[in-house]
Amino acid sequence: MPMLNTTDILETIRMIQDDCLDVRTTTMGISLLDCAADDMDRTCQRVYDKVCRCAKDLVKVGEEIERQYGIPIINKRISVTPIAMIAGPSGGDPVKLAHALQRAADTLGVNFIGGYSALVQKGFSPGDLALIQSIPEALATTENICASVNVGSTKAGINMDAVAMMGRIVRECSERTASRDCIAAAKLVVFCNAPEDNPFMAGAFHGPGEPDCEINVGVSGPGVVRAVLAQHPDATISELADLIKRTAFKITRMGQLVGTEASRRLGVPFGIVDLSLAPTPAIGDSVARILEEMGLESCGACGTTACLALLNDAVKKGGVMASSRVGGLSGAFIPVSEDEGMIAAATSGALSIEKLEAMTAVCSVGLDMIVLPGDTTAEVIAALIADEAAIGMVNSKTTAVRVIPAIGKEDGETLQFGGLLGSGPVMKISKHSPAKFIQRGGQIPAPMQSLKN
Protein backbone atom coordinates (compact mmCIF):
# COMPACT_ATOMS: atom_id res chain seq x y z
CA MET A 1 0.00 0.00 0.00
CA PRO A 2 1.56 3.35 -1.07
CA MET A 3 2.58 5.84 1.57
CA LEU A 4 0.15 8.71 2.12
CA ASN A 5 1.52 12.20 1.67
CA THR A 6 1.04 15.04 4.17
CA THR A 7 -1.80 16.61 2.19
CA ASP A 8 -3.76 13.33 2.20
CA ILE A 9 -3.24 12.92 5.95
CA LEU A 10 -4.37 16.48 6.71
CA GLU A 11 -7.40 16.11 4.45
CA THR A 12 -8.41 12.89 6.20
CA ILE A 13 -8.10 14.59 9.60
CA ARG A 14 -10.37 17.38 8.38
CA MET A 15 -12.91 14.86 7.10
CA ILE A 16 -12.96 13.12 10.50
CA GLN A 17 -13.31 16.37 12.44
CA ASP A 18 -15.77 18.23 10.21
CA ASP A 19 -17.66 15.72 8.05
CA CYS A 20 -18.45 12.70 10.25
CA LEU A 21 -15.95 10.39 8.51
CA ASP A 22 -15.48 7.16 10.42
CA VAL A 23 -14.89 3.45 10.22
CA ARG A 24 -18.41 2.32 11.02
CA THR A 25 -17.39 -1.18 12.05
CA THR A 26 -14.63 -3.73 12.30
CA THR A 27 -16.45 -7.04 12.10
CA MET A 28 -14.75 -10.35 12.82
CA GLY A 29 -16.23 -13.25 10.90
CA ILE A 30 -16.02 -16.58 12.74
CA SER A 31 -16.91 -20.01 11.35
CA LEU A 32 -18.87 -22.20 13.77
CA LEU A 33 -19.03 -25.23 11.49
CA ASP A 34 -16.70 -27.15 13.79
CA CYS A 35 -18.87 -26.41 16.84
CA ALA A 36 -21.88 -28.57 15.99
CA ALA A 37 -22.44 -31.51 18.33
CA ASP A 38 -25.27 -33.99 18.77
CA ASP A 39 -26.33 -32.21 21.95
CA MET A 40 -27.53 -28.58 21.98
CA ASP A 41 -25.96 -27.71 25.35
CA ARG A 42 -22.57 -28.98 24.21
CA THR A 43 -22.91 -27.05 20.95
CA CYS A 44 -23.72 -23.88 22.87
CA GLN A 45 -20.61 -24.25 24.99
CA ARG A 46 -18.43 -24.83 21.95
CA VAL A 47 -19.92 -21.76 20.25
CA TYR A 48 -19.33 -19.56 23.29
CA ASP A 49 -15.76 -20.85 23.72
CA LYS A 50 -14.78 -20.38 20.07
CA VAL A 51 -16.27 -16.91 19.71
CA CYS A 52 -14.56 -15.75 22.90
CA ARG A 53 -11.26 -17.33 21.89
CA CYS A 54 -11.18 -15.84 18.37
CA ALA A 55 -12.46 -12.38 19.30
CA LYS A 56 -10.82 -11.90 22.69
CA ASP A 57 -8.71 -8.97 21.41
CA LEU A 58 -11.15 -7.50 18.89
CA VAL A 59 -12.31 -4.54 20.99
CA LYS A 60 -8.85 -3.86 22.42
CA VAL A 61 -7.18 -3.82 18.99
CA GLY A 62 -9.88 -1.56 17.60
CA GLU A 63 -9.35 0.91 20.42
CA GLU A 64 -5.56 0.78 19.93
CA ILE A 65 -5.91 1.60 16.22
CA GLU A 66 -8.29 4.45 17.05
CA ARG A 67 -5.75 5.97 19.42
CA GLN A 68 -2.74 5.46 17.15
CA TYR A 69 -4.25 6.81 13.93
CA GLY A 70 -6.99 9.09 15.25
CA ILE A 71 -9.59 7.25 13.17
CA PRO A 72 -12.96 6.72 14.90
CA ILE A 73 -14.04 3.07 14.85
CA ILE A 74 -17.65 3.29 15.95
CA ASN A 75 -18.54 -0.39 16.35
CA LYS A 76 -16.71 -3.64 17.01
CA ARG A 77 -18.87 -6.55 15.88
CA ILE A 78 -18.87 -10.26 15.14
CA SER A 79 -20.56 -12.29 12.42
CA VAL A 80 -20.92 -16.06 12.65
CA THR A 81 -21.90 -19.00 10.47
CA PRO A 82 -25.69 -19.03 9.85
CA ILE A 83 -26.91 -20.58 13.08
CA ALA A 84 -29.45 -22.79 11.29
CA MET A 85 -26.48 -24.78 9.95
CA ILE A 86 -25.35 -25.44 13.52
CA ALA A 87 -28.78 -25.89 15.10
CA GLY A 88 -29.88 -28.63 12.70
CA PRO A 89 -27.35 -31.31 13.72
CA SER A 90 -27.70 -30.40 17.42
CA GLY A 91 -31.47 -30.67 17.74
CA GLY A 92 -33.20 -28.88 20.59
CA ASP A 93 -34.15 -25.22 20.91
CA PRO A 94 -32.10 -22.81 18.71
CA VAL A 95 -32.83 -19.98 21.16
CA LYS A 96 -30.20 -21.52 23.41
CA LEU A 97 -27.62 -20.65 20.75
CA ALA A 98 -28.86 -17.04 20.69
CA HIS A 99 -28.34 -16.88 24.45
CA ALA A 100 -24.85 -18.40 24.11
CA LEU A 101 -23.98 -15.71 21.58
CA GLN A 102 -25.40 -13.03 23.89
CA ARG A 103 -23.16 -14.28 26.69
CA ALA A 104 -20.20 -14.01 24.31
CA ALA A 105 -21.23 -10.45 23.37
CA ASP A 106 -21.39 -9.53 27.06
CA THR A 107 -18.00 -11.11 27.75
CA LEU A 108 -16.28 -9.45 24.81
CA GLY A 109 -17.99 -6.05 24.90
CA VAL A 110 -18.95 -6.06 21.20
CA ASN A 111 -21.89 -4.06 19.87
CA PHE A 112 -23.64 -6.80 17.90
CA ILE A 113 -23.28 -10.41 16.84
CA GLY A 114 -24.91 -11.20 13.51
CA GLY A 115 -25.64 -14.61 12.10
CA TYR A 116 -28.81 -15.86 13.78
CA SER A 117 -29.63 -16.68 10.20
CA ALA A 118 -30.97 -19.18 7.69
CA LEU A 119 -30.38 -19.49 3.94
CA VAL A 120 -33.62 -20.86 2.46
CA GLN A 121 -33.76 -19.50 -1.09
CA LYS A 122 -34.45 -22.97 -2.48
CA GLY A 123 -36.07 -24.76 0.45
CA PHE A 124 -35.91 -25.63 4.14
CA SER A 125 -33.93 -28.04 6.23
CA PRO A 126 -35.30 -28.95 9.69
CA GLY A 127 -32.69 -26.62 11.22
CA ASP A 128 -33.85 -23.75 9.01
CA LEU A 129 -37.48 -24.16 10.02
CA ALA A 130 -36.63 -24.41 13.71
CA LEU A 131 -34.46 -21.31 13.58
CA ILE A 132 -36.94 -19.16 11.66
CA GLN A 133 -39.76 -20.05 14.04
CA SER A 134 -37.51 -19.15 16.98
CA ILE A 135 -36.48 -15.70 15.72
CA PRO A 136 -39.09 -13.67 17.66
CA GLU A 137 -38.17 -15.37 20.94
CA ALA A 138 -34.44 -15.10 20.26
CA LEU A 139 -34.52 -11.39 19.40
CA ALA A 140 -36.95 -10.49 22.16
CA THR A 141 -34.81 -12.12 24.86
CA THR A 142 -31.38 -10.85 23.73
CA GLU A 143 -29.95 -7.35 23.32
CA ASN A 144 -27.05 -7.70 20.90
CA ILE A 145 -28.07 -10.51 18.53
CA CYS A 146 -29.17 -9.85 14.94
CA ALA A 147 -31.03 -12.19 12.62
CA SER A 148 -31.38 -12.55 8.87
CA VAL A 149 -33.06 -14.90 6.42
CA ASN A 150 -32.20 -15.19 2.72
CA VAL A 151 -35.41 -16.06 0.84
CA GLY A 152 -34.29 -15.68 -2.76
CA SER A 153 -31.44 -15.47 -5.23
CA THR A 154 -30.90 -14.95 -8.94
CA LYS A 155 -29.76 -18.58 -9.22
CA ALA A 156 -32.58 -20.17 -7.21
CA GLY A 157 -35.60 -17.90 -7.55
CA ILE A 158 -37.76 -16.88 -4.58
CA ASN A 159 -39.01 -19.28 -1.90
CA MET A 160 -42.54 -17.93 -1.45
CA ASP A 161 -43.24 -20.26 1.46
CA ALA A 162 -40.34 -18.58 3.26
CA VAL A 163 -41.63 -15.14 2.22
CA ALA A 164 -45.05 -15.89 3.73
CA MET A 165 -43.42 -17.18 6.88
CA MET A 166 -41.23 -14.09 7.23
CA GLY A 167 -44.24 -11.78 6.98
CA ARG A 168 -45.59 -13.48 10.11
CA ILE A 169 -42.20 -13.52 11.83
CA VAL A 170 -41.56 -9.80 11.30
CA ARG A 171 -44.96 -8.95 12.74
CA GLU A 172 -44.47 -11.29 15.71
CA CYS A 173 -41.09 -9.69 16.44
CA SER A 174 -42.79 -6.30 16.72
CA GLU A 175 -45.60 -7.69 18.85
CA ARG A 176 -43.18 -9.41 21.23
CA THR A 177 -41.32 -6.13 21.86
CA ALA A 178 -44.18 -3.62 21.48
CA SER A 179 -43.34 -2.10 24.88
CA ARG A 180 -39.74 -1.51 23.72
CA ASP A 181 -40.51 0.34 20.48
CA CYS A 182 -40.74 -2.96 18.56
CA ILE A 183 -36.95 -3.27 18.68
CA ALA A 184 -36.81 -6.97 17.75
CA ALA A 185 -38.02 -6.21 14.21
CA ALA A 186 -35.22 -3.65 13.84
CA LYS A 187 -32.69 -6.47 14.39
CA LEU A 188 -34.13 -8.68 11.61
CA VAL A 189 -33.53 -8.38 7.86
CA VAL A 190 -34.90 -10.49 4.99
CA PHE A 191 -32.58 -10.82 1.99
CA CYS A 192 -32.41 -11.77 -1.64
CA ASN A 193 -28.85 -12.49 -2.85
CA ALA A 194 -27.38 -12.01 0.63
CA PRO A 195 -23.58 -11.48 0.56
CA GLU A 196 -21.47 -13.81 2.70
CA ASP A 197 -18.97 -11.14 3.80
CA ASN A 198 -21.18 -8.18 4.78
CA PRO A 199 -19.85 -6.48 7.95
CA PHE A 200 -22.96 -4.33 8.52
CA MET A 201 -25.82 -5.24 10.83
CA ALA A 202 -28.45 -6.51 10.96
CA GLY A 203 -27.62 -8.60 7.91
CA ALA A 204 -24.09 -9.74 8.71
CA PHE A 205 -23.32 -13.45 8.74
CA HIS A 206 -20.16 -15.44 8.04
CA GLY A 207 -20.85 -17.42 4.90
CA PRO A 208 -19.87 -21.08 4.57
CA GLY A 209 -17.45 -20.14 1.78
CA GLU A 210 -15.45 -17.83 4.06
CA PRO A 211 -12.28 -18.81 6.00
CA ASP A 212 -12.34 -19.98 9.61
CA CYS A 213 -11.80 -16.44 10.90
CA GLU A 214 -11.27 -13.07 9.21
CA ILE A 215 -11.62 -9.34 9.80
CA ASN A 216 -13.92 -7.21 7.62
CA VAL A 217 -14.15 -3.42 7.72
CA GLY A 218 -17.14 -1.24 6.99
CA VAL A 219 -16.30 2.38 6.13
CA SER A 220 -18.83 5.18 5.98
CA GLY A 221 -18.63 8.78 4.84
CA PRO A 222 -21.86 10.34 3.51
CA GLY A 223 -20.99 13.62 5.23
CA VAL A 224 -17.66 13.74 3.40
CA VAL A 225 -19.30 13.21 0.01
CA ARG A 226 -21.95 15.88 0.71
CA ALA A 227 -19.28 18.38 1.79
CA VAL A 228 -17.25 17.82 -1.37
CA LEU A 229 -20.28 18.31 -3.62
CA ALA A 230 -21.22 21.47 -1.72
CA GLN A 231 -17.89 22.98 -2.76
CA HIS A 232 -18.82 22.58 -6.45
CA PRO A 233 -22.34 24.00 -6.83
CA ASP A 234 -22.00 24.53 -10.59
CA ALA A 235 -20.44 21.18 -11.51
CA THR A 236 -21.89 19.14 -14.36
CA ILE A 237 -23.27 15.63 -13.78
CA SER A 238 -20.06 14.12 -15.17
CA GLU A 239 -17.99 16.26 -12.82
CA LEU A 240 -20.14 15.21 -9.86
CA ALA A 241 -19.45 11.56 -10.68
CA ASP A 242 -15.70 12.20 -10.77
CA LEU A 243 -15.81 14.09 -7.46
CA ILE A 244 -17.64 11.21 -5.79
CA LYS A 245 -15.21 8.64 -7.22
CA ARG A 246 -12.18 10.54 -5.94
CA THR A 247 -13.76 10.96 -2.52
CA ALA A 248 -14.70 7.28 -2.33
CA PHE A 249 -11.12 6.38 -3.21
CA LYS A 250 -9.79 8.37 -0.23
CA ILE A 251 -12.37 6.93 2.17
CA THR A 252 -11.61 3.38 1.04
CA ARG A 253 -7.87 3.87 1.56
CA MET A 254 -8.60 4.66 5.20
CA GLY A 255 -10.57 1.42 5.49
CA GLN A 256 -7.75 -0.49 3.82
CA LEU A 257 -5.32 0.89 6.38
CA VAL A 258 -7.53 -0.09 9.32
CA GLY A 259 -8.24 -3.55 7.91
CA THR A 260 -4.57 -4.27 7.19
CA GLU A 261 -3.52 -3.14 10.64
CA ALA A 262 -6.32 -5.00 12.45
CA SER A 263 -5.48 -8.16 10.50
CA ARG A 264 -1.82 -7.95 11.49
CA ARG A 265 -2.51 -7.32 15.17
CA LEU A 266 -5.24 -9.94 15.50
CA GLY A 267 -3.37 -12.56 13.48
CA VAL A 268 -6.32 -13.33 11.21
CA PRO A 269 -6.76 -12.81 7.45
CA PHE A 270 -8.04 -9.48 6.14
CA GLY A 271 -11.33 -10.15 4.37
CA ILE A 272 -12.90 -7.11 2.70
CA VAL A 273 -13.50 -3.38 2.93
CA ASP A 274 -17.18 -2.56 2.56
CA LEU A 275 -17.40 1.01 1.33
CA SER A 276 -21.03 1.76 2.12
CA LEU A 277 -22.31 5.27 2.69
CA ALA A 278 -24.10 4.30 5.90
CA PRO A 279 -25.87 7.33 7.37
CA THR A 280 -26.68 8.19 10.98
CA PRO A 281 -29.32 10.45 12.52
CA ALA A 282 -26.60 13.09 13.08
CA ILE A 283 -26.93 16.32 11.11
CA GLY A 284 -24.56 16.27 8.12
CA ASP A 285 -24.23 12.47 7.97
CA SER A 286 -27.04 11.81 5.51
CA VAL A 287 -27.32 10.11 2.11
CA ALA A 288 -30.53 12.06 1.45
CA ARG A 289 -28.62 15.33 1.81
CA ILE A 290 -26.11 14.16 -0.82
CA LEU A 291 -28.98 13.68 -3.28
CA GLU A 292 -30.31 17.12 -2.42
CA GLU A 293 -26.83 18.59 -2.90
CA MET A 294 -26.98 17.27 -6.47
CA GLY A 295 -29.95 19.56 -7.11
CA LEU A 296 -33.12 18.05 -5.69
CA GLU A 297 -35.43 20.19 -3.59
CA SER A 298 -36.04 17.14 -1.39
CA CYS A 299 -35.12 13.50 -1.36
CA GLY A 300 -38.12 11.74 -2.88
CA ALA A 301 -38.60 14.26 -5.68
CA CYS A 302 -38.59 13.09 -9.29
CA GLY A 303 -34.94 12.52 -10.14
CA THR A 304 -34.11 10.88 -6.81
CA THR A 305 -33.60 7.44 -8.34
CA ALA A 306 -31.30 8.84 -11.05
CA CYS A 307 -29.22 10.74 -8.47
CA LEU A 308 -28.94 7.64 -6.29
CA ALA A 309 -27.87 5.52 -9.28
CA LEU A 310 -25.09 7.99 -10.04
CA LEU A 311 -23.99 8.05 -6.41
CA ASN A 312 -23.97 4.28 -5.99
CA ASP A 313 -22.03 3.65 -9.19
CA ALA A 314 -19.42 6.34 -8.47
CA VAL A 315 -18.88 5.05 -4.92
CA LYS A 316 -18.22 1.53 -6.21
CA LYS A 317 -15.85 2.73 -8.94
CA GLY A 318 -13.83 4.82 -6.50
CA GLY A 319 -13.68 1.97 -4.01
CA VAL A 320 -12.41 -0.70 -6.41
CA MET A 321 -9.63 1.61 -7.53
CA ALA A 322 -8.51 2.04 -3.91
CA SER A 323 -8.49 -1.58 -2.79
CA SER A 324 -8.52 -5.05 -4.30
CA ARG A 325 -10.48 -6.20 -1.27
CA VAL A 326 -13.72 -4.25 -1.77
CA GLY A 327 -16.68 -6.50 -0.99
CA GLY A 328 -19.79 -6.79 1.11
CA LEU A 329 -22.40 -4.35 -0.18
CA SER A 330 -20.31 -1.24 -0.98
CA GLY A 331 -22.58 1.55 -2.14
CA ALA A 332 -25.25 3.79 -0.61
CA PHE A 333 -27.64 2.74 2.14
CA ILE A 334 -31.09 4.31 2.48
CA PRO A 335 -32.31 3.37 5.99
CA VAL A 336 -35.10 5.84 6.70
CA SER A 337 -34.92 6.02 10.50
CA GLU A 338 -31.09 6.20 10.48
CA ASP A 339 -30.79 9.12 8.05
CA GLU A 340 -31.65 12.64 9.18
CA GLY A 341 -32.50 13.76 5.64
CA MET A 342 -34.64 10.68 4.96
CA ILE A 343 -36.54 11.24 8.21
CA ALA A 344 -37.26 14.85 7.18
CA ALA A 345 -38.34 13.84 3.68
CA ALA A 346 -40.61 11.06 4.93
CA THR A 347 -42.14 13.32 7.60
CA SER A 348 -42.89 16.06 5.05
CA GLY A 349 -44.49 13.58 2.65
CA ALA A 350 -41.86 14.05 -0.05
CA LEU A 351 -40.65 10.46 0.33
CA SER A 352 -43.04 7.51 0.08
CA ILE A 353 -42.58 3.76 0.37
CA GLU A 354 -43.29 3.48 -3.36
CA LYS A 355 -40.44 5.88 -4.15
CA LEU A 356 -38.15 4.05 -1.76
CA GLU A 357 -38.91 0.80 -3.57
CA ALA A 358 -37.89 2.38 -6.88
CA MET A 359 -34.67 3.62 -5.26
CA THR A 360 -33.80 0.11 -4.10
CA ALA A 361 -33.35 -0.96 -7.72
CA VAL A 362 -30.16 1.14 -7.86
CA CYS A 363 -28.86 1.31 -4.27
CA SER A 364 -26.91 -1.14 -2.15
CA VAL A 365 -29.59 -2.79 -0.06
CA GLY A 366 -33.34 -2.24 0.04
CA LEU A 367 -36.30 -1.12 2.13
CA ASP A 368 -34.39 -0.48 5.32
CA MET A 369 -35.55 0.71 8.75
CA ILE A 370 -39.01 1.71 7.56
CA VAL A 371 -41.74 2.06 10.19
CA LEU A 372 -45.13 0.70 9.11
CA PRO A 373 -48.54 1.28 10.70
CA GLY A 374 -49.18 -1.09 13.60
CA ASP A 375 -52.15 -2.76 11.90
CA THR A 376 -50.14 -3.79 8.80
CA THR A 377 -50.94 -7.44 8.18
CA ALA A 378 -48.43 -10.26 7.86
CA GLU A 379 -49.54 -10.76 4.24
CA VAL A 380 -48.79 -7.12 3.33
CA ILE A 381 -45.35 -7.43 4.94
CA ALA A 382 -44.74 -10.68 3.05
CA ALA A 383 -45.79 -9.06 -0.24
CA LEU A 384 -43.40 -6.18 0.41
CA ILE A 385 -40.64 -8.74 0.94
CA ALA A 386 -41.64 -10.50 -2.30
CA ASP A 387 -41.48 -7.23 -4.25
CA GLU A 388 -37.99 -6.46 -2.98
CA ALA A 389 -36.78 -10.00 -3.56
CA ALA A 390 -38.06 -9.79 -7.15
CA ILE A 391 -36.05 -6.60 -7.75
CA GLY A 392 -32.92 -8.31 -6.40
CA MET A 393 -33.49 -11.57 -8.25
CA VAL A 394 -34.11 -10.00 -11.66
CA ASN A 395 -31.32 -7.44 -11.36
CA SER A 396 -28.73 -9.85 -9.90
CA LYS A 397 -28.19 -7.60 -6.89
CA THR A 398 -28.65 -7.72 -3.15
CA THR A 399 -31.96 -6.43 -1.87
CA ALA A 400 -33.37 -6.60 1.62
CA VAL A 401 -36.31 -5.65 3.80
CA ARG A 402 -36.04 -4.42 7.38
CA VAL A 403 -39.42 -2.99 8.36
CA ILE A 404 -40.94 -2.38 11.77
CA PRO A 405 -44.71 -2.59 12.26
CA ALA A 406 -45.26 0.01 15.01
CA ILE A 407 -47.76 -1.80 17.18
CA GLY A 408 -50.43 0.63 18.40
CA LYS A 409 -49.29 3.50 16.14
CA GLU A 410 -50.77 5.00 12.99
CA ASP A 411 -49.66 7.12 10.02
CA GLY A 412 -47.99 10.33 11.14
CA GLU A 413 -46.82 9.06 14.54
CA THR A 414 -43.17 8.37 15.33
CA LEU A 415 -41.26 5.38 16.67
CA GLN A 416 -38.12 6.17 18.68
CA PHE A 417 -35.19 3.74 18.73
CA GLY A 418 -32.30 5.94 19.86
CA GLY A 419 -28.61 5.63 19.03
CA LEU A 420 -27.63 4.74 15.46
CA LEU A 421 -31.13 3.35 14.80
CA GLY A 422 -32.61 6.83 15.22
CA SER A 423 -36.35 7.41 14.92
CA GLY A 424 -38.83 6.98 12.13
CA PRO A 425 -42.18 8.37 11.09
CA VAL A 426 -44.89 5.78 10.52
CA MET A 427 -45.21 5.66 6.72
CA LYS A 428 -48.35 4.95 4.73
CA ILE A 429 -48.57 1.64 2.90
CA SER A 430 -51.23 0.23 0.60
CA LYS A 431 -53.75 -1.85 2.53
CA HIS A 432 -55.20 -3.61 -0.50
CA SER A 433 -54.81 -7.28 0.32
CA PRO A 434 -52.24 -9.52 -1.39
CA ALA A 435 -53.33 -12.43 0.84
CA LYS A 436 -54.42 -14.82 -1.92
CA PHE A 437 -51.11 -14.37 -3.77
CA ILE A 438 -49.05 -14.92 -0.63
CA GLN A 439 -51.10 -17.97 0.44
CA ARG A 440 -50.42 -19.77 -2.85
CA GLY A 441 -46.93 -20.72 -1.70
CA GLY A 442 -44.40 -22.43 -3.95
CA GLN A 443 -41.39 -20.96 -5.73
CA ILE A 444 -41.01 -18.04 -8.11
CA PRO A 445 -38.70 -19.57 -10.72
CA ALA A 446 -35.20 -18.20 -11.30
CA PRO A 447 -35.05 -15.68 -14.17
CA MET A 448 -33.19 -16.12 -17.44
CA GLN A 449 -30.26 -14.21 -15.94
CA SER A 450 -29.53 -17.30 -13.84
CA LEU A 451 -28.49 -19.32 -16.89
CA LYS A 452 -25.04 -17.84 -17.30
CA ASN A 453 -22.97 -21.02 -17.27
Side-chain angles (χ1 to χ4, degrees):
M1 182 172 151
M3 294 293 291
L4 296 173
N5 62 37
T6 303
T7 302
D8 289 334
I9 293 170
L10 291 174
E11 184 177 20
T12 302
I13 291 170
R14 183 195 58 74
M15 290 175 177
I16 291 168
Q17 291 176 340
D18 298 341
D19 301 322
C20 304
L21 177 61
D22 59 53
V23 169
R24 187 55 51 84
T25 179
T26 51
T27 301
M28 177 174 282
I30 302 172
S31 173
L32 302 181
L33 293 174
D34 56 349
C35 295
D38 58 4
D39 173 78
M40 180 60 78
D41 291 333
R42 189 154 61 250
T43 298
C44 289
Q45 189 61 48
R46 288 180 178 179
V47 165
Y48 174 83
D49 290 343
K50 182 167 186 182
V51 171
C52 289
R53 181 175 70 253
C54 292
K56 61 183 173 58
D57 294 325
L58 178 64
V59 172
K60 181 185 74 172
V61 165
E63 291 172 347
E64 289 173 353
I65 293 172
E66 283 185 274
R67 287 192 297 270
Q68 181 172 347
Y69 293 100
I71 298 171
I73 301 175
I74 306 303
N75 297 294
K76 291 82 176 175
R77 298 167 170 170
I78 294 168
S79 62
V80 298
T81 302
I83 289 297
M85 300 175 70
I86 313 302
S90 302
D93 185 0
V95 175
K96 289 184 176 181
L97 283 163
H99 292 164
L101 291 171
Q102 181 62 54
R103 290 197 303 275
D106 293 339
T107 299
L108 297 167
V110 296
N111 304 97
F112 285 112
I113 296 182
Y116 199 78
S117 307
L119 311 179
V120 296
Q121 57 268 25
K122 210 167 183 178
F124 304 96
S125 70
D128 295 325
L129 287 169
L131 182 125
I132 291 172
Q133 295 291 356
S134 75
I135 285 173
E137 172 74 11
L139 297 187
T141 56
T142 59
E143 294 295 324
N144 306 98
I145 306 307
C146 293
S148 60
V149 177
N150 192 70
V151 298
S153 72
T154 300
K155 279 289 187 184
I158 302 171
N159 182 347
M160 289 301 293
D161 294 314
V163 168
M165 190 179 298
M166 290 313 299
R168 297 191 296 270
I169 294 297
V170 168
R171 181 159 182 88
E172 188 178 343
C173 282
S174 274
E175 291 171 346
R176 287 289 302 269
T177 52
S179 63
R180 291 184 284 148
D181 295 309
C182 308
I183 188 64
K187 299 187 293 176
L188 169 63
V189 59
V190 186
F191 274 115
C192 178
N193 289 322
E196 296 191 355
D197 55 3
N198 167 27
F200 286 99
M201 302 294 168
F205 64 87
H206 189 68
E210 299 294 305
D212 189 61
C213 185
E214 66 183 346
I215 191 75
N216 298 319
V217 175
V219 183
S220 179
V224 176
V225 175
R226 185 209 56 78
V228 169
L229 298 188
Q231 295 167 17
H232 299 82
D234 300 319
T236 67
I237 297 296
S238 299
E239 290 167 345
L240 289 181
D242 285 338
L243 287 167
I244 295 167
K245 282 191 290 186
R246 288 201 294 269
T247 305
F249 179 92
K250 295 170 185 175
I251 295 170
T252 306
R253 294 305 278 176
M254 184 184 75
Q256 175 88 7
L257 170 65
V258 170
T260 301
E261 194 62 22
S263 170
R264 183 183 68 80
R265 297 187 189 196
L266 291 166
V268 300
F270 178 16
I272 56 96
V273 177
D274 186 323
L275 173 62
S276 289
L277 299 184
T280 72
I283 302 296
D285 200 24
S286 162
V287 169
R289 299 304 185 195
I290 298 174
L291 307 181
E292 291 167 1
E293 202 65 59
M294 292 181 183
L296 303 177
E297 180 182 357
S298 173
C299 178
C302 292
T304 297
T305 306
C307 288
L308 185 60
L310 183 155
L311 174 64
N312 210 55
D313 179 67
V315 165
K316 291 178 186 292
K317 287 174 177 173
V320 297
M321 285 296 291
S323 172
S324 61
R325 295 182 176 273
V326 171
L329 296 161
S330 289
F333 289 177
I334 52 171
V336 175
S337 81
E338 298 176 17
D339 185 307
E340 170 268 326
M342 295 274 180
I343 294 168
T347 301
S348 72
L351 184 63
S352 67
I353 288 179
E354 291 76 17
K355 187 60 177 178
L356 282 162
E357 184 176 307
M359 293 163 68
T360 65
V362 299
C363 78
S364 283
V365 192
L367 295 171
D368 195 13
M369 288 304 291
I370 294 172
V371 183
L372 303 178
D375 61 354
T376 305
T377 66
E379 289 81 10
V380 167
I381 297 169
L384 198 62
I385 292 169
D387 285 342
E388 272 305 292
I391 290 172
M393 175 186 71
V394 170
N395 290 287
S396 301
K397 71 182 294 293
T398 300
T399 51
V401 173
R402 183 166 50 149
V403 294
I404 303 95
I407 306 302
K409 293 185 182 290
E410 301 176 351
D411 300 350
E413 296 186 73
T414 300
L415 201 59
Q416 297 282 348
F417 302 107
L420 286 177
L421 295 179
S423 64
V426 179
M427 300 184 71
K428 291 182 181 179
I429 188 170
S430 173
K431 298 194 176 170
H432 294 285
S433 176
K436 184 174 180 180
F437 169 63
I438 295 301
Q439 289 164 5
R440 289 180 183 273
Q443 187 92 1
I444 293 181
M448 285 298 294
Q449 292 93 313
S450 68
L451 300 178
K452 290 185 178 180
N453 292 338

